[in-house]
Amino acid sequence: MRAAIYDGPGEISVEDVPRPEIEAPGDAIVRVTHTAVCGSDLWFYRGESDREAGSRVGHEPMGIVEAVGDDVDSVRPGDRVFAPFVVSCGYCEYCRRGLHTSCVNGDSWGGDNGGAQGEYVRSPHADGTLVRVPDRYADDEDVLESVLPLTDVMGTGHHAAVSAGVDAGDTCVVVGDGAVGLCGVLAARRLGASRIVAVGHHPDRLELAAEFGATETVLGGDGTDVVDRVRELTYGGAEHVLECVGAASAMEQAVEVCRPGGTVGYVGVPHGVDDAGVPIFDMFGDNVALRGGVAPVRAYADELLEDVLGGTLDPSPIFTETVSLEEIAAGYRAMDERDAIKVLVEP
């Protein structure tokens, strides 16, 4: 099969690799029809995080089940499915608590599982991992493009909003205008926030944030003191702040715009935070809580899918470019150069 391979900083190729096969009774083989390039992929693409050259990449698969092991009950060949960015068993202590990313039997999509930016993947623990799309929507391309973000960024934005404690009538701030931040806006609106202040550095993305439900937007990088402006808009800060970037500067900004006694829900993959340090003294002084982490997307998949299929949730506008698998290197470049918010890949 063909699969995307990381060859080193700035280098993605597509090569022939062994196609995964059923190895355990709980496995399923999925032919990937849709996947994506994630903002977190840019860390290794830019050489800013470690990854072994020659490794397969991708973690957002959607496709058609081709084969299942003898113990798989929830899906069968021919079913349309999508999968969160990590494999989870569904029955261990942490999966039962809704913390699927801490699954004791967890796995990734790379290595012998195929890499989700490829033509096929093997899903270990298929019953605990794969989410079936009802047959009536299985070939509806518009619906499928709305479902695909549930593999990662929509569930991650939702986790930020849940972790921040967003509820009906609340005021919240979303730091970050990438795909996760934009999905955080959608999630906050879905949870009933009455005011959503979106903070970012790209006018076009903030326009999309407004379409998604942001009531105010604040553009940084043009001389505006973002913290002062957000505090002004929120009369001293918001009780609920979504940090959707991961950079130390974004975490600092999130804490600074959080109202005393409030909560920062953080989901951005931490980058540079260890070196700069979390502003713990400021948090201590203002009783600011920090909740979040890597999003247990599987825990949210069923409820978010219900809203997508019901027509009340549509994150698909985050896909601003579509490429074939053979063109995926161009997709990485587009995201790296901020020419695309998120790239959809069709193997």
Side-chain angles (χ1 to χ4, degrees), residues 67-271:
V68 299
D70 291 341
D71 290 349
V72 176
D73 295 322
S74 62
V75 296
R76 61 187 181 183
D79 284 347
R80 167 77 63 180
V81 296
F82 68 94
F85 58 82
V86 294
V87 171
S88 55
C89 70
Y91 56 79
C92 74
E93 170 193 355
Y94 299 106
C95 287
R96 294 197 307 270
R97 290 170 51 190
L99 199 60
H100 297 73
T101 45
S102 294
C103 175
V104 299
N105 301 302
D107 203 349
S108 74
W109 293 108
D112 291 339
N113 289 333
Q117 291 168 6
E119 293 180 319
Y120 292 87
V121 290
R122 175 178 52 245
S123 173
H125 303 292
D127 283 342
T129 301
L130 300 180
V131 184
R132 183 176 174 274
V133 178
D135 290 344
R136 64 178 294 190
Y137 302 103
D139 297 313
D140 187 324
E141 187 62 30
D142 290 339
V143 170
L144 296 180
E145 289 189 14
S146 297
V147 170
L148 184 60
L150 274 57
T151 61
D152 188 342
V153 290
M154 186 63 233
T156 298
H158 182 66
H159 188 54
V162 170
S163 297
V166 177
D167 204 348
D170 286 340
T171 293
C172 67
V173 174
V174 179
V175 177
D177 59 6
V180 172
L182 292 168
C183 287
V185 171
L186 278 175
R189 185 189 69 180
R190 177 179 178 273
L191 292 171
S194 60
R195 293 190 66 202
I196 304 169
V197 181
V199 177
H201 290 85
H202 305 87
D204 58 331
R205 298 184 181 199
L206 290 179
E207 288 177 8
L208 182 55
E211 293 176 16
F212 277 180
T215 52
E216 292 97 1
T217 62
V218 177
L219 178 66
D222 64 348
T224 299
D225 188 314
V226 170
V227 172
D228 283 351
R229 179 57 180 153
V230 172
R231 285 177 173 170
E232 178 184 2
L233 288 171
T234 56
Y235 309 106
E239 291 189 1
H240 314 280
V241 181
L242 288 64
E243 191 284 306
C244 299
V245 181
S249 58
M251 179 64 78
E252 292 168 359
Q253 190 175 84
V255 171
E256 288 178 341
V257 301
C258 191
R259 202 176 194 86
T263 303
V264 174
Y266 73 106
V267 295
V269 179
H271 188 77

